[in-house]
Amino acid sequence: METSNATPPTLSIRDLRVWFELRRWGFGHVGDVRAVDGISFEIRPGEAAAVVGESGCGKSSLMKTILGLYKPRTGSVYFSGEDIHAQGRKSIHAYRANVGYVQQDPFAALPAFMNVWQILEEPLIIAGGHNKANRQDRIRQVLEEVKIHPIEDFLPKYPHMLSGGQLQRIVIARAMILKPRVIIADEPVSMLDASVRVEILRLLRGLQQSHNLSFIYITHDLSTVKYFSEYIFVMYAGKLVEKAPIGRMLRNSSHPYTQALLSATSDPEAMNARVYKEVPSGEPPSLVNPPPGCRFHPRCSKCIHGLCDVQDPPEIHLTPQHQVACWLYSQR
Amino acid sequence: MNNFFHELRKYPSVIASLILISFLIGVSIYAITTIPYEEAKRLWRGGEEIWYTNPRQAAPEWINWFSKNKQAVSFSLRTTNPGVSRTILTEENGNSEIIFSIPFDYQYDSFPQELMIYFSSTFTAKQPYADVTLITPDGREIHLNNFALINRQTYRLSQDDRLTRWLRNDNVLQALFRDPQVETPTPLKGSYSVVISAYTFEANSTVDVELVMHGTLAGWAGTDHLRRDLSVALLWGTPIALAFGLLAALGTTFTTMVIAAIGAWYRGWLDELIQRVTEINLVLPFLPLLLMIGTFHSRSIWVILGATILLNIFGGAIKTNRAIFLQIKESPYIEAARVYNASDIRIILRYLTPRLIPTLIPQLVTLIPTYVFIEASLAVLGLGDPELPTWGKVINDAFVNSAPYQGLYYWMLEPAVMLIITSLAFAMLGFSLDRIFNPRLRQI
Ligand SMILES: Nc1ncnc2c1ncn2[C@@H]1O[C@H](COP(=O)(O)OP(=O)(O)OP(=O)(O)O)[C@@H](O)[C@H]1O
Ligand SMILES: [Mg+2]
C-alpha cells in the first residue's frame, strides 16, 4: 500500500493505541481497556476504506481518535503529513475543519432543539468567514447535494419532524458543509430501514467520488461494503488483522478470521446479511486482558500451538497492497 | 406550538392555575398603574394626616354581605363629592355666608364610632365662624356646636363635652343616631345631613369642610392598627411577591444550570470544587442565615433577594443537573459539535443547557411560590423590607397586634389567602407542565 501510489496520503495513522483506564472508586488503576491497540494505515485522496469488525472490537474508539476526540496513548494521526496533536488545540482545530463526521444514529446526532437551518448554519458560523448570504448559499448547495428537496420546506423543520433517511441526509449535509477532505462515517446506515440504506450508501459514494474525498467507512455489516471502498480493513479486538483492496479481499482473503467472516455469507452482497451471523463460534476476547500472542488464536481452527498463543503475529505483505497479521504466512 | 396549546387543554389544572395566575398578574398591573410606587409608599408609610379618614382596625365592607346585622361603613365626603352642596351668599361689606349641606344615607344596624368635620380656612385677621347642625331622617334639627375657625381644625363629635352634657349621654353618636321611639338603642335609618353655616368677614377669606364618618367597617380590605387601608398592601404586595419569586427562581435556576453544565463539561478540579461548595452549602441552614443577614446587615428587599439567590445557587439542583449533563455530554450531537470546532462555552450554552429546559421550566415554576414564601416568612418574622407594603408585613402587624385574639381574622386571612392563591397557582402549573414536558411521568 505504501508504495502503490505516488500521491501523498491525506490521512495516515501510525501505531495508534487507545486505552481507557479502568479505575476503582474513581482512582486506583485496575487495568486498561485496550480498545485500539497498535493500528496503522494510510488513505489517499479519492480513496475509501471500510473498517469491518464485530461489535465492541474498537471501531468507534478508532474513529473518535482519528477525529481527535480521544487522545491516543501512543502513536498519532497525521493529516497531510502533520501530526494533528503537534500544536495542541490549534492544530486539531485546523485539522477538524477538513474532516466531516457522519454518525451512526441520526436520531441522536442532531440537536433536537435546532431546526435544519440552525443545524447547518452552526458549523459555518463557528468556522467564520461567511456572511449571512454566503451561509445561505452554502446551505442550499449542500442540501441539493444530499438530495433534500424542496429545500424551503426542510429549513424550518426540527429533527423530530423528519424520517430516519432524511435525518441521515441532514447529518451528511452537516458533515459536508465545510467542504472537508476527509469523511469519517461510523456505521452510517445501521440504524436505518433496509429500504433507505442503499440510497444513503450510494449518496455517500457519489459524494466521495465527486469531491475526491478520503473516506473511512465503518461497519459490522460486510454486505454493505461493496457500495464503497477501494480497501477493506478487517479489525479484531483492537487490531487490524488484514488490509487489502476489495476485489482481492473477496477472492483471496488470507486471515482465518476474514475467511470465516466471508465464508459464513454465501452471498456477501446480500443486503441483510449481518456479521453477527457470520462470525466463527466463541466469544471475542476481553480487551482488558487480551489473550497472549494472536488475539484470534482461541477461536482459530488453524492455530499453531506454541507460536500463535505465545507471540504476536508480524504484519506480512502478501502483495504491496495486501497485508495480513498471521503466523500462517510467515514461512512462505 | 399549536399542539402545545391543544395539549394544555387536556389538563384542567393548567386552566385553573392559568386563571389564578392571570388574576395575580391583573392585580399587579392594576396596582402598579393605579397606585404609582411613590404613592403606594406614601399611603403605606404616610402618617395620621393620610390615614385620618379610616377608623382603626376596621373590618372590610364585604363582611356585611354575610351578616343580617349591617355594620356601619366608613366614608368621607368633601365639597367636591356629588350631592354635597355649597352655597355662597355675599353681603356688601365683604362678609359672606357659606352654607354647606352634606347629606348621607345611613342604613346600618350599628352606631358609627365617630363623626368628624375637618375645617380648612384662610383669612388674614378676622377668623371665620362656623355653625354645625345635624338633620336626622325624621326631621329633627340638632344644633351641634359653633366656633371660630383657625386654619385647620377638626371637630370630633364624640369629644364634644358640651354635647355630652346636653344629650345626657357619654356616647354622643349613639344619642344622635338612635331612634327616639325605640327603648333599646337602635340606629334610626335614613337620610341624614350635616349643615354647616360658615361666615367669613374678609373678601379673600375661604372655608372648606370635609365630613368623615368612622364606622366599624372600611374599604374592601379593612384597616390596621394605624388606620392604614390594607388594600394598599394587598394590591402592592402582589407585584412585589411575584417579582421576588420570579427573580429568585430565574436567578437560581439558570445560574445553577450553567454552573452544573460547566462542572460536568470540564470535570477535574473545577467540578470537584463545585461539588464540595454545593455540599457545604447544602448543610448550611438557609433560613437562619437569611435571618442573620436581615437582622445584622440589611432588610432591603434587594439584599434579601441577592442573598436568597446566592444561597440557593449551590443547591441540590446542581447535583441533579450535573447528572443529566454528564449523560448528555456524551451525546452524538455534542461529539459532532466538537468535530466542527464548537468552543466549550458554545457547547455549554448552545448545546448542553437547552436540553435541560424541558425539565427546568416546571422546576422554575414550582420554585416561584417557594421564594414568595421565603420573602413572606422573613416579613412575618419582622424582617420585611422597611419601605414596601407586603403581605408578610401585614401578617406580622396582625400578629404583633394580636389580631386573632381580638377576632380580627380578616387582618391575617386576607394576606394569607393571597399567599395561598400564589402558591397554589404556581404549584399546580408547575406540576402540570412537568407532566406535559416529561410525559413518562404521566402513567405514575
Ligand atoms: N469512553 C470509554 N471509556 C471506557 N471504555 C470505553 C469507552 N469507549 C469505549 N470503551 C470500550 O472500548 C471497547 C470498544 O468500544 P467501541 O465503541 O470502540 O466498539 P465498536 O467496535 O464501535 O462497537 P459497536 O460496533 O458496538 O459500535 C468496548 O469494550 C467499550 O466498552
Ligand atoms: Mg461503534
Side-chain angles (χ1 to χ4, degrees):
Chain A
M1 206 165 137
E2 284 85 17
T3 52
S4 66
N5 203 322
T7 40
T10 337
L11 207 58
S12 94
I13 280 91
R14 289 182 211 152
D15 193 35
L16 206 63
R17 284 190 164 76
V18 184
W19 294 2
F20 299 108
E21 201 174 2
L22 284 181
R23 288 156 185 261
R24 182 173 290 152
W25 313 121
F27 52 87
H29 181 87
V30 177
D32 290 301
V33 180
R34 302 180 182 195
V36 176
D37 205 13
I39 282 183
S40 308
F41 63 84
E42 287 180 342
I43 298 192
R44 277 160 234 282
E47 280 181 359
V51 177
V52 182
E54 283 169 286
S55 191
C57 71
K59 305 183 297 291
S60 296
S61 305
L62 173 62
M63 286 315 111
K64 286 175 189 171
T65 316
I66 294 177
L67 289 164
L69 295 173
Y70 295 159
K71 241 191 140 169
R73 182 67 65 97
T74 70
S76 196
V77 177
Y78 299 82
F79 176 72
S80 299
E82 308 247 352
D83 184 346
I84 63 163
H85 291 287
Q87 285 155 4
R89 210 168 255 263
K90 215 175 120 211
S91 49
I92 292 186
H93 278 200
Y95 155 70
R96 279 182 185 155
N98 288 295
V99 189
Y101 183 27
V102 178
Q103 286 144 302
Q104 178 173 16
D105 182 356
F107 301 92
L110 299 172
F113 45 83
M114 290 190 190
N115 62 25
V116 171
W117 168 269
Q118 290 170 315
I119 288 168
L120 294 177
E121 200 183 18
E122 280 286 299
L124 294 172
I125 292 174
I126 291 161
H130 301 265
N131 61 29
K132 195 156 169 100
N134 283 346
R135 293 202 290 264
Q136 193 156 353
D137 289 347
R138 181 64 193 139
I139 289 171
R140 274 164 215 284
Q141 212 177 342
V142 83
L143 283 176
E144 226 150 82
E145 280 187 288
V146 298
K147 300 188 177 68
I148 283 278
H149 42 235
I151 291 172
E152 290 309 322
D153 290 359
F154 278 89
L155 289 178
K157 288 209 167 137
Y158 285 84
H160 71 267
M161 305 170 178
L162 305 177
S163 72
Q166 289 168 336
L167 288 176
Q168 197 59 303
R169 284 171 200 270
I170 304 293
V171 173
I172 293 168
R174 182 175 67 184
M176 292 294 298
I177 198 146
L178 293 176
K179 303 187 175 163
R181 288 165 59 196
V182 181
I183 289 274
I184 292 174
D186 188 352
E187 311 203 30
V189 295
S190 67
M191 302 284 279
L192 300 179
D193 282 351
S195 55
V196 293
R197 277 186 194 168
V198 183
E199 271 174 61
I200 296 286
L201 288 173
R202 288 227 172 90
L203 173 69
L204 283 172
R205 182 62 164 171
L207 288 171
Q208 186 248 327
Q209 285 174 336
S210 60
H211 293 271
N212 204 34
L213 299 172
S214 301
F215 208 107
I216 303 179
Y217 168 56
I218 302 187
T219 182
H220 59 232
D221 184 352
L222 206 48
S223 59
T224 61
V225 166
K226 70 152 189 172
Y227 292 95
F228 259 94
S229 48
E230 279 65 40
Y231 296 96
I232 296 184
F233 301 155
V234 179
M235 190 164 176
Y236 185 77
K239 286 178 177 290
L240 294 187
V241 293
E242 189 165 5
K243 309 179 222 178
I246 185 159
R248 194 175 154 85
M249 184 71 93
L250 294 177
R251 277 175 281 111
N252 279 329
S253 62
S254 307
H255 196 281
Y257 177 64
T258 318
Q259 287 167 350
L261 276 184
L262 287 172
S263 66
T265 1
S266 52
D267 173 17
E269 297 183 2
M271 275 308 301
N272 290 317
R274 294 286 187 91
V275 166
Y276 59 78
K277 293 182 200 156
E278 302 157 5
V279 292
S281 62
E283 292 272 308
S286 149
L287 295 178
V288 182
N289 296 305
C294 174
R295 292 187 179 178
F296 187 60
H297 84 259
R299 295 163 79 186
C300 184
S301 52
K302 297 170 186 162
C303 176
I304 306 164
H305 291 280
L307 182 62
C308 290
D309 50 0
V310 179
Q311 244 184 307
D312 257 356
E315 193 158 83
I316 292 146
H317 290 244
L318 299 175
T319 75
Q321 296 187 20
H322 188 176
Q323 291 133 57
V324 64
C326 182
W327 283 115
L328 291 176
Y329 303 93
S330 71
Q331 286 90 353
R332 290 188 187 175
Chain B
M1 219 51 209
N2 235 335
N3 257 337
F4 180 72
F5 284 115
H6 211 81
E7 183 85 331
L8 271 188
R9 278 202 259 141
K10 287 191 232 154
Y11 297 88
S13 57
V14 173
I15 309 286
S17 58
L18 286 180
I19 289 171
L20 289 179
I21 290 171
S22 320
F23 164 73
L24 292 170
I25 291 173
V27 169
S28 306
I29 291 172
Y30 177 80
I32 294 168
T33 51
T34 55
I35 317 170
Y37 178 65
E38 288 305 322
E39 174 72 1
K41 256 167 58 176
R42 196 179 68 87
L43 288 178
W44 193 246
R45 296 171 44 75
E48 200 54 34
E49 68 275 16
I50 289 165
W51 305 324
Y52 65 85
T53 53
N54 298 328
R56 274 175 218 283
Q57 302 181 345
E61 281 174 25
W62 46 262
I63 296 275
N64 272 348
W65 303 345
F66 305 103
S67 137
K68 261 173 71 183
N69 189 24
K70 305 295 179 203
Q71 300 186 54
V73 174
S74 311
F75 63 81
S76 109
L77 291 170
R78 293 163 192 263
T79 43
T80 48
N81 281 85
V84 178
S85 72
R86 171 162 64 172
T87 323
I88 305 177
L89 310 165
T90 314
E91 292 161 31
E92 303 96 59
N93 48 6
N95 296 354
S96 325
E97 179 181 2
I98 310 167
I99 300 168
F100 299 93
S101 166
I102 310 171
F104 60 93
D105 199 32
Y106 197 87
Q107 297 291 352
Y108 307 108
D109 301 307
S110 73
F111 291 99
Q113 292 187 38
E114 176 68 294
L115 199 67
M116 290 177 286
I117 298 163
Y118 284 81
F119 292 95
S120 52
S121 61
T122 56
F123 59 93
T124 26
K126 294 182 192 161
Q127 283 177 271
Y129 179 81
D131 190 278
V132 186
T133 310
L134 178 74
I135 302 173
T136 57
D138 53 1
R140 287 174 292 141
E141 288 193 17
I142 306 169
H143 181 249
L144 299 177
N145 209 336
N146 49 16
F147 28 75
L149 297 175
I150 52 174
N151 287 356
R152 292 189 157 274
Q153 181 165 341
T154 314
Y155 172 47
R156 296 172 206 274
L157 269 68
S158 68
Q159 286 169 26
D160 189 336
D161 295 337
R162 210 182 60 85
L163 266 182
T164 316
R165 266 176 277 128
W166 182 64
L167 294 166
R168 290 199 202 88
N169 191 334
D170 278 345
N171 192 337
V172 174
L173 289 148
Q174 186 173 327
L176 290 174
F177 280 76
R178 73 174 286 183
D179 188 341
Q181 316 294 333
V182 183
E183 197 60 40
T184 49
T186 346
L188 179 65
K189 294 182 187 176
S191 306
Y192 289 79
S193 83
V194 171
V195 177
I196 299 157
S197 301
Y199 302 90
T200 59
F201 307 105
E202 285 168 359
N204 290 326
S205 182
T206 60
V207 174
D208 201 5
V209 298
E210 180 180 4
L211 177 71
V212 172
M213 194 194 82
H214 287 173
T216 40
L217 304 182
W220 59 264
T223 62
D224 66 6
H225 59 301
L226 297 174
R227 307 179 187 280
R228 287 185 297 201
D229 189 344
L230 291 182
S231 65
V232 176
L234 292 181
L235 286 174
W236 257 91
T238 316
I240 292 170
L242 292 189
F244 188 93
L246 194 70
L247 287 178
L250 282 174
T252 51
T253 314
F254 284 103
T255 339
T256 298
M257 176 178 74
V258 170
I259 290 175
I262 288 172
W265 182 253
Y266 288 106
R267 300 300 302 271
W269 65 268
L270 193 60
D271 193 29
E272 289 295 323
L273 182 72
I274 293 170
Q275 296 308 305
R276 296 299 90 76
V277 168
T278 306
E279 280 146 23
I280 292 168
N281 188 55
L282 280 176
V283 288
L284 290 182
F286 167 58
L287 203 58
L289 267 177
L290 265 194
L291 290 180
M292 266 167 62
I293 291 170
T295 315
F296 297 117
H297 182 56
S298 164
R299 284 158 55 189
S300 151
I301 197 153
W302 296 110
V303 171
I304 297 295
L305 177 67
T308 306
I309 293 177
L310 271 181
L311 292 172
N312 280 287
I313 283 175
F314 289 94
I318 289 247
K319 299 262 173 194
T320 49
N321 289 356
R322 178 174 172 273
I324 300 171
F325 282 135
L326 283 179
Q327 207 179 354
I328 57 184
K329 180 189 171 189
E330 309 291 335
S331 311
Y333 80 92
I334 302 239
E335 240 158 31
R338 290 180 64 194
V339 172
Y340 54 72
N341 286 335
S343 64
D344 290 338
I345 304 283
R346 196 180 186 91
I347 289 181
I348 290 170
L349 296 180
R350 285 254 315 146
Y351 292 79
L352 227 41
T353 49
R355 274 287 293 277
L356 219 62
I357 299 290
T359 40
L360 225 61
I361 285 179
Q363 205 177 314
L364 188 142
V365 172
T366 27
L367 268 180
I368 292 174
T370 318
Y371 291 124
V372 170
F373 262 84
I374 283 171
E375 190 270 328
S377 311
L378 285 183
V380 168
L381 294 172
L383 295 172
D385 186 287
E387 302 233 302
L388 301 171
T390 61
W391 299 336
K393 270 163 82 176
V394 174
I395 299 180
N396 174 248
D397 286 340
F399 220 77
V400 170
N401 294 286
S402 45
Y405 309 107
Q406 299 185 47
L408 303 169
Y409 299 113
Y410 73 94
W411 197 352
M412 288 191 87
L413 285 183
E414 284 172 352
V417 164
M418 292 304 275
L419 279 169
I420 289 167
I421 289 177
T422 310
S423 61
L424 199 69
F426 285 100
M428 272 195 320
L429 184 67
F431 291 139
S432 320
L433 285 180
D434 200 28
R435 285 198 302 175
I436 294 168
F437 281 125
N438 307 299
R440 247 171 293 162
L441 291 173
R442 261 183 230 171
Q443 287 96 0
I444 302 166

